[in-house]
Amino acid sequence: MDIKTLENIDINLASISKINEVDFENLTFGNTFTDHMLICDYENGVWQKPVIQPYAPFTIDPSAKVFHYGQAIFEGMKAYKDERDDVWLFRPDQNFERFNKSATRMAMPEVPENVFMGGLKRLLEIEKNWVKKGNGNSLYIRPFMIATGKGVVAAPAVFYRFMIILSPAKSYYSGEVKVLIAEHFSRAANGGIGAAKAAGNYSAQFYPTKLANEKGYQQIIWTDDATHTKLEEAGTMNVFFRINDTLYTAPTSERILDGITRKSIIELAKRENINVDVRPVLVDELIDAAKNGTLKEIFGAGTAAVINPIVGFSYKEDYFELPKIEKSFALDLKEKLTNIQYKVAEDTFGWTVKI
């Protein structure tokens, strides 16, 4: 993919950079932001000229529809710097396409490619020094759009704001992860917005996850809303199960996000001659595999952590610890995927895009 430079853009640079005030060795994920951000407003059916300006709060009408009817979507991406100081993106076309699918589902205007991709390129060129070299270092990219149109009538807004903000990140590590399989709460429902990266999807998870945390579990493996018999996602990530030497993961649907890390793992696993079976995975299957010793691994997959191994799970008060194994699919696939992202290994798939 060739990202064209956006020429029709206003750029107002910060007078002083705050980069020297940042401890890049001790970053809390998503709490530190770079000097600049991109803003592009949608007014009267037309996208206006994008602006890159110093990162700062902005004012918004109290009746803006994002507050009242939840018109808000986002994406999660990363930029990586190789040993030659070149900056790379990983499958950004997939994020762009998914962003506009989310926009359509939320009755929001699609963002033009030149604004999303071209604007991102200009922003990353300006903030290149915020992307640090070294395995585990990256610049987290958060494109998002909110409804800024005012009024408390329950209808889509006519004014929107698209933005991109950037946050330097270290290797994501959350310690040992134990999960609770959902018996009542659902992440999404058929016909709903589960396949969109809509803000409401994530806020709806907070309460059941809080209850799981109080029981000593870090995340929830969500089950289908109708029967709670099918395993779907883990926390905010797609989830994989290794039974014997086959990887199983649920197919994408109206309830399950089309994860970019997920689809990359599937393609990478196939290249490595690992058998992958994309189909509904039943809770009963997982319990049986745990009891008879064929369940080897469970791991989540997403942009922030890439792959997050799960050490055990609970269902109906029964807890199952996963075995310690020497040849972990999760760790091997994570290493191979990150090596592609950091340009340590050859990108045979054509996934990486140079800024």
Side-chain angles (χ1 to χ4, degrees):
M1 179 185 183
D2 179 33
I3 301 177
K4 295 181 180 179
T5 299
L6 178 63
E7 301 295 341
N8 188 28
I9 185 171
D10 288 335
I11 298 178
N12 305 314
L13 298 180
S15 56
I16 300 175
S17 175
K18 59 193 176 190
I19 193 169
N20 293 328
E21 302 170 10
V22 176
D23 182 359
F24 284 89
E25 295 304 314
N26 295 285
L27 292 167
T28 300
F29 184 80
N31 272 19
T32 301
F33 296 93
T34 66
D35 294 318
H36 301 90
M37 60 186 184
L38 180 140
I39 295 177
C40 189
D41 288 322
Y42 182 85
E43 301 176 0
N44 300 316
V46 178
W47 285 102
Q48 307 301 303
K49 182 189 288 188
V51 179
I52 290 176
Q53 65 186 51
Y55 183 96
F58 59 89
T59 58
I60 187 170
D61 194 286
S63 71
K65 297 205 174 185
V66 64
F67 299 136
H68 302 275
Y69 303 109
Q71 276 188 294
I73 60 172
F74 67 95
E75 271 297 324
M77 310 166 63
K78 282 182 179 178
Y80 310 87
K81 183 175 282 185
D82 66 17
E83 289 304 312
R84 298 168 59 182
D85 284 334
D86 290 325
V87 176
W88 297 82
L89 295 174
F90 181 74
R91 308 189 77 174
D93 57 316
Q94 300 293 307
N95 294 99
F96 168 66
E97 290 175 11
R98 190 172 64 183
F99 188 86
N100 278 336
K101 287 180 181 177
S102 297
T104 297
R105 181 61 184 84
M106 298 299 291
M108 304 169 83
E110 291 189 8
V111 175
E113 183 176 355
N114 68 327
V115 173
F116 188 105
M117 300 301 303
L120 175 57
K121 180 179 180 180
R122 294 297 295 272
L123 185 59
L124 288 174
E125 288 170 345
I126 292 169
E127 305 290 52
K128 182 177 180 180
N129 291 338
W130 288 83
V131 193
K132 298 302 181 182
K133 289 190 292 191
N135 190 27
N137 295 324
S138 63
L139 188 64
Y140 184 77
I141 302 165
R142 173 52 64 90
F144 65 100
M145 179 165 46
I146 59 173
T148 53
K150 62 182 182 180
V152 294
V153 174
V158 293
F159 294 92
Y160 296 87
R161 173 163 287 188
F162 169 70
M163 297 185 63
I164 304 176
I165 55 177
L166 309 173
S167 177
K170 290 289 288 182
S171 181
Y172 189 96
Y173 178 70
S174 58
E176 289 196 343
V177 175
K178 297 179 180 180
V179 298
L180 192 66
I181 295 179
E183 299 176 49
H184 171 69
F185 292 104
S186 300
R187 193 194 86 85
N190 284 332
I193 58 172
K197 280 189 79 71
N201 284 343
Y202 296 80
S203 59
Q205 296 186 45
F206 294 160
Y207 176 66
T209 301
K210 174 178 177 287
L211 298 180
N213 293 162
E214 290 170 355
K215 293 181 178 181
Y217 300 93
Q218 287 70 47
Q219 294 178 2
I220 293 174
I221 290 186
W222 305 101
T223 50
D224 68 289
D225 63 300
T227 66
H228 294 290
T229 61
K230 299 173 185 176
L231 300 158
E232 301 206 318
E233 292 192 354
T236 59
M237 300 185 291
N238 296 113
V239 63
F240 288 80
F241 309 93
R242 176 186 172 186
I243 299 176
N244 288 318
D245 286 333
T246 298
L247 277 182
Y248 296 87
T249 193
T252 55
S253 68
E254 290 180 315
R255 302 187 306 274
I256 299 177
L257 190 71
D258 186 12
I260 294 158
T261 305
R262 170 192 175 275
K263 65 177 68 176
S264 302
I265 288 171
I266 291 171
E267 291 184 53
L268 193 56
K270 290 178 179 177
R271 189 192 74 178
E272 298 300 309
N273 294 315
I274 296 172
N275 189 37
V276 180
D277 195 352
V278 179
R279 64 164 176 79
V281 182
L282 302 178
V283 176
D284 287 348
E285 285 184 84
L286 193 70
I287 302 298
D288 290 343
K291 288 180 176 178
N292 65 32
T294 57
L295 178 63
K296 306 299 184 186
E297 295 181 85
I298 304 175
F299 58 89
T303 299
V306 185
I307 286 178
N308 197 346
I310 293 168
V311 300
F313 70 92
S314 178
Y315 181 66
K316 294 187 182 296
E317 306 303 324
D318 291 326
Y319 179 73
F320 300 89
E321 189 84 17
L322 271 74
K324 307 291 184 185
I325 56 175
E326 289 186 11
K327 294 183 178 181
S328 164
F329 283 3
L331 298 182
D332 183 58
L333 290 169
K334 181 175 183 178
E335 181 180 17
K336 285 182 168 59
L337 187 56
T338 54
N339 282 347
I340 292 173
Q341 292 170 334
Y342 287 95
K343 305 302 289 185
V344 176
E346 182 184 0
D347 176 13
T348 59
F349 299 97
W351 288 338
T352 50
V353 179
K354 187 177 178 180
I355 293 297

